[in-house]
Amino acid sequence: MTNARIRTLAPSEVETLIDWAADEGWNPGERDATAFRLADPDGFLGAFVDGEMVAGISAVSYGSAFGFIGLYICRPDMRGKGFGKTVWDAGMARLAGRTLGLDGVPEQQANYRAMGFVPAYRTFRYSGTIAAPANGSANIQPVSPDMLPSLEAFDRRFFPASRRAFLQGWSAAPHVALVYMDGETVLGYGVARRCREGAKIGPLFAADQESAEALLEELSRRCNCEIHIDVPETSGSFADTLLRHGMARGFETARMYRGPAPLLHSGGIFGITTLELG
């Protein structure tokens, strides 16, 4: 096996890794490479042989206590040569000392268990179109920059660490970011982004299911296309609501953690942010 050089990916190389994800059928967002790097610009690693990237991974650090693994892909023509394991080890080393999360497909979960990851809950992809009301709730409004401190505080109830820079970019155009307000109180927020096929909604965090459903309907109305959302099984009867809307359940993953699982308001996570970043 040829030795591989491991290094941080340049922005254009993150674009390549996202293209690989599209080739795998993961349907990434149109501007995910730019948005993802806001979470941790140095959190994307590649293995290179003779100057060409042969494997990649995202190993995103959210401070000193939490990190997330995703976008773990080896180029198809270079599989079976150990390059994937090399870049995996580099990602794990970068995040050493932190609780780590990932979303694993069923066929890989045994491998992740062997490396110390423990399942926390299953997540299911729902896809389809929603016949949303012509006029949405008066409590829902677009996210504006002055809302970001309140949005960040609300987000922290459902995500294991602060992610201010990421939220600032994730909630900006061309993404559609909406917040459900009760006076001055945030009751929920959601973001939709255009993908290679349709649009994905994530996150969808809310204090109650009624707020989550209202946000989902308004996001769907504004996207006016097929939508996809990754819903944890901890979200109560929300999945039944999606099925009643005519959405179809697709593939599943499991959120897995190595280290102490974060203490979150899991019942308010109606759609995770992304499978790649947590």
Side-chain angles (χ1 to χ4, degrees), residues 41 43 54 80 105 114 135 147 151 170 178 181 184 188 203 219 224 231 233 253 256-257 269-270:
V54 297
V105 295
N135 297 310
M147 293 179 178
L151 199 68
W170 198 249
L178 302 177
M181 301 293 296
E184 298 297 315
L219 287 165
N224 192 30
V231 179
E233 62 183 348
T253 58
M256 307 179 76
Y257 294 109
I269 304 173
F270 295 94

Side-chain angles (χ1 to χ4, degrees), residues 72-139:
Y72 177 40
I73 308 173
C74 185
R75 210 172 73 192
D77 62 310
M78 301 299 282
R79 291 174 183 172
K81 301 180 180 181
F83 298 128
K85 179 64 163 56
T86 299
V87 81
W88 170 273
D89 290 344
M92 296 294 285
R94 182 175 192 270
L95 299 178
R98 299 167 175 82
T99 288
L100 300 183
L102 59 77
D103 288 308
V105 295
E107 55 266 29
Q108 291 296 328
Q109 288 168 21
N111 292 333
Y112 296 139
R113 285 177 186 267
M115 291 180 279
F117 286 84
V118 178
Y121 55 79
R122 294 180 301 168
T123 297
F124 296 93
R125 169 72 53 84
Y126 289 84
S127 301
T129 56
I130 291 179
N135 297 310
S137 169
N139 297 85

Side-chain angles (χ1 to χ4, degrees), residues 4-8 45-48 83 86-87 90-91:
R5 179 191 175 207
I6 303 294
R7 64 167 173 80
T8 303
L45 307 178
F48 290 79
F83 298 128
T86 299
V87 81

Side-chain angles (χ1 to χ4, degrees), residues 42-214:
D42 298 325
F44 301 84
L45 307 178
F48 290 79
V49 174
D50 297 330
E52 292 188 0
M53 186 164 67
V54 297
I57 196 169
S58 57
V60 170
S61 170
Y62 293 101
S64 61
F66 183 68
F68 204 86
I69 294 287
L71 289 172
Y72 177 40
I73 308 173
C74 185
R75 210 172 73 192
D77 62 310
M78 301 299 282
R79 291 174 183 172
K81 301 180 180 181
F83 298 128
K85 179 64 163 56
T86 299
V87 81
W88 170 273
D89 290 344
M92 296 294 285
R94 182 175 192 270
L95 299 178
R98 299 167 175 82
T99 288
L100 300 183
L102 59 77
D103 288 308
V105 295
E107 55 266 29
Q108 291 296 328
Q109 288 168 21
N111 292 333
Y112 296 139
R113 285 177 186 267
M115 291 180 279
F117 286 84
V118 178
Y121 55 79
R122 294 180 301 168
T123 297
F124 296 93
R125 169 72 53 84
Y126 289 84
S127 301
T129 56
I130 291 179
N135 297 310
S137 169
N139 297 85
I140 295 177
Q141 56 188 282
V143 172
S144 58
D146 62 294
M147 293 179 178
L148 284 172
S150 297
L151 199 68
E152 182 184 13
F154 186 80
D155 183 78
R156 189 63 184 82
R157 296 168 57 185
F158 310 99
F159 193 79
S162 176
R163 48 179 181 170
R164 176 175 297 179
F166 173 76
L167 286 179
Q168 185 174 5
W170 198 249
S171 61
H175 291 183
V176 179
L178 302 177
V179 61
Y180 192 110
M181 301 293 296
D182 180 11
E184 298 297 315
T185 303
V186 177
L187 291 185
Y189 88 97
V191 178
R193 72 194 198 278
R194 289 284 178 175
C195 296
R196 308 292 174 99
E197 297 178 4
K200 284 183 184 176
I201 293 177
L204 180 59
F205 298 159
D208 55 73
Q209 185 165 320
E210 181 181 357
S211 303
E213 290 181 21

